[in-house]
Amino acid sequence: MRAPIGDFDNARPCPDCLDALTPPVADAVRAWQGPVPAQQLLYVDTDPDIADTAAFVEHYGKDLIETSANCVVVAGRRGGETTLAACLVLSHTRVDVNGVVRRQLDARKASFASMDTATGETGMEYGGITPIGLPADWPVLVDAAVADTEWVLIGSGRRRGKLIVPGKAFAQLPGAVVVEGLGTPAN
């Protein structure tokens, strides 16, 4: 089937291609519940050599710059405690780590998690981290602009492949909190 966004001719429902997903993402799709059915989560095969946003939208459709989202792992610290969380923002914005994220996590300091921490704790590849399939006890901060976007392109857990998901589905993820102003304009 043709994807609802971008130049993808072979979009498939995620439940029909679990073998293309990392184990935590495949497990989350199998367990999916809520008002948005799992059949509406779509998988598209993509070239891993052009997974970064600028090259990706040039190849798969310039309209994707408005409907793509990045998921980044952050670490909030207070005292000796560290809280890992995920932040999902539209790809043409940046995560407000030192303001919104720090306050949401009630942290004294917040920063991006290291690549080793992000991949080790998620079981996903760097550059393909997705909010679907994250550890259930993590906060998942979703920018309101993402939740308000009809269809959103996100990572699949690998650099090869992407997911296309209704924006409203992100509010039903475990630990999800929809936050106004999480994404700020990129300079």
Side-chain angles (χ1 to χ4, degrees), residues 128-154:
I129 294 175
T130 183
I132 297 172
L134 292 171
D137 60 338
W138 280 24
V140 179
L141 308 179
V142 179
D143 187 83
V146 174
D148 291 340
T149 301
E150 185 176 10
W151 290 98
V152 181
L153 182 95
I154 57 172

Side-chain angles (χ1 to χ4, degrees), residues 84-107:
L84 294 176
C87 298
L88 187 66
V89 299
L90 291 172
S91 61
H92 62 281
T93 66
R94 293 183 182 191
V95 176
D96 182 2
V97 176
N98 293 314
V100 175
V101 171
R102 188 179 54 74
R103 286 189 299 277
Q104 283 291 316
L105 298 181
D106 191 29

Side-chain angles (χ1 to χ4, degrees), residues 27-168:
D27 290 347
V29 170
R30 279 188 204 94
W32 190 264
Q33 296 179 355
V36 175
Q39 288 297 113
Q40 287 188 17
L41 311 178
L42 304 176
Y43 174 83
V44 292
D45 190 41
T46 59
D47 182 344
D49 291 332
I50 55 172
D52 293 319
T53 303
F56 190 88
V57 299
E58 184 66 32
H59 188 277
Y60 291 107
K62 293 184 190 241
D63 63 313
L64 293 172
I65 195 69
E66 298 298 323
T67 57
S68 296
N70 292 326
C71 183
V72 297
V73 178
V74 296
R77 293 173 192 80
R78 178 174 283 287
E81 298 294 315
T82 298
T83 301
L84 294 176
C87 298
L88 187 66
V89 299
L90 291 172
S91 61
H92 62 281
T93 66
R94 293 183 182 191
V95 176
D96 182 2
V97 176
N98 293 314
V100 175
V101 171
R102 188 179 54 74
R103 286 189 299 277
Q104 283 291 316
L105 298 181
D106 191 29
R108 189 173 185 286
K109 182 179 179 186
S111 60
F112 294 104
S114 71
M115 181 172 63
D116 289 342
T117 298
T119 57
E121 295 292 327
T122 64
M124 300 178 200
E125 293 177 6
Y126 194 74
I129 294 175
T130 183
I132 297 172
L134 292 171
D137 60 338
W138 280 24
V140 179
L141 308 179
V142 179
D143 187 83
V146 174
D148 291 340
T149 301
E150 185 176 10
W151 290 98
V152 181
L153 182 95
I154 57 172
S156 68
R158 293 196 163 106
R159 285 187 65 84
R160 166 168 233 114
K162 298 286 186 184
L163 305 182
I164 298 175
V165 178
K168 63 185 175 184

